[in-house]
Amino acid sequence: MKPSFSDLAIRAAPLTFVFLWSTGFIGAKFGMPYAEPMTFLTLRMAFVVAILALIVAVVRPRWPVGLEAAHSAAAGLLVHGLYLGGVFVAIGQGVPAGIAALIPGLQPILTSTIASRFLGERVTPLQWFGLAMGLIGVLLVLHDLTIIGSGSILGWIASFMSLIGITLGTLYQKHFCGPIDWRSGNLIQFGACTILFGAAAWIFETGHVIWSGEFIFAMFWLVVVMSILTIALMYWLIKRIPATRVASLFYLVPATTAVLAWLLFNERLDALSISGIVLCAAAVFIVNYRKA
């Protein structure tokens, strides 16, 4: 029997998701020459809020009330604010796009460490082995001093802040925001981030934007394709395949981003750095592994 359209869609969707998610880092680098990071993100968040507001007005999902709204805002400031802000500042300060994807991609490793130290969760010996692998992988990636020298100190600090933001934001989202509808919840999250980025842009940046064709394309891609369609695809995948398989897709993002950055921006990594990215992906898989 020939596979149905639904079967073909499910088979193609995971790799499509990996590619689309990886382009988020490429889109950031593509638009950086035309706007400062916080100004870029303010515009992006405002456009996303406008689209989500229209979706919420049509669909009318349950609206978060009381503490739910406060929890949504707090999660958004961590997941989108600190994480995205860190990624954009890092790329704007010269950190290669592939490395800017790799560092927050270590989030499962940091999450396991926090869970072991502060939440009383047991980390298996195999997972500790994965933690050590991840550290070795990062050292391999950063062995080339030209990679370190390509970004400023601020850029590297921002890159690691993005890792902290996605880690704490994921833990917070899981603990406090489970029952909240993703559409109304995301509207609050992106709205809070619009205010955060707008304030940062007003205080620290000039607000100057060059509305070139490249900038408009990058903005369209990050707003419509990344923040709306790719997020919708992620939820579609979660409903149809096991959550662990969805999580495992993120292991492929740093390597995919590195390949795209090489093709589009001639960002080159030597064999040792590439092996470090592969080792980090394997480490994240081991740390996230659970026996059935």
Side-chain angles (χ1 to χ4, degrees), residues 68-127:
E68 288 184 334
H71 286 318
S72 290
L77 292 175
L78 289 170
V79 173
H80 303 299
L82 195 55
Y83 165 61
L84 277 181
V87 168
F88 270 68
V89 170
I91 293 176
Q93 292 291 318
V95 176
I99 308 303
L102 170 68
I103 293 176
L106 299 174
Q107 174 256 334
I109 294 178
L110 182 58
T111 299
S112 294
T113 305
I114 293 175
S116 172
R117 178 66 179 83
F118 298 105
L119 303 181
E121 295 185 8
R122 179 176 176 269
V123 178
T124 67
L126 181 62
Q127 290 174 312

Side-chain angles (χ1 to χ4, degrees), residues 43 47 86 90 108 134 145-146 160 162 171 174 197 225 230 241 268:
L43 292 171
F47 287 132
L145 295 181
T146 59
F160 282 97
S162 70
L171 291 171
K174 180 178 180 181
F197 292 138
V225 178
T230 305
I241 66 177
R268 296 183 179 274

Side-chain angles (χ1 to χ4, degrees), residues 165-189:
I166 192 64
T167 301
L168 297 182
T170 301
L171 291 171
Y172 193 97
Q173 176 90 15
K174 180 178 180 181
H175 189 72
F176 293 107
C177 304
I180 301 173
D181 186 278
W182 72 272
R183 290 157 296 194
S184 55
N186 276 345
L187 178 57
I188 294 175
Q189 291 187 8

Side-chain angles (χ1 to χ4, degrees), residues 152-170:
S152 68
I153 295 177
L154 175 61
W156 287 107
I157 292 174
S159 193
F160 282 97
M161 291 301 294
S162 70
L163 169 61
I164 294 173
I166 192 64
T167 301
L168 297 182
T170 301

Side-chain angles (χ1 to χ4, degrees), residues 22 25-26 29 83 86-87 90-91 94-106 137-144 146-151 155-156 158-160 162-163 253-259 261-262 267-270 272-278 280:
S22 301
F25 301 91
I26 301 302
K29 187 174 180 67
Y83 165 61
V87 168
I91 293 176
V95 176
I99 308 303
L102 170 68
I103 293 176
L106 299 174
V138 171
L139 294 176
L140 287 176
V141 171
L142 300 181
H143 82 283
D144 187 351
T146 59
I147 294 178
I148 298 177
S150 62
W156 287 107
S159 193
F160 282 97
S162 70
L163 169 61
V253 169
T256 306
T257 303
V259 171
W262 169 63
E267 286 188 1
R268 296 183 179 274
L269 299 176
D270 60 21
L272 202 56
S273 295
I274 294 173
S275 66
I277 290 179
V278 174
C280 286

Side-chain angles (χ1 to χ4, degrees), residues 26-50:
I26 301 302
K29 187 174 180 67
F30 203 66
M32 280 291 96
Y34 307 102
E36 295 160 291
M38 296 298 105
T39 301
F40 193 125
L41 284 170
T42 301
L43 292 171
R44 175 182 175 181
M45 294 296 107
F47 287 132
V48 173
V49 166

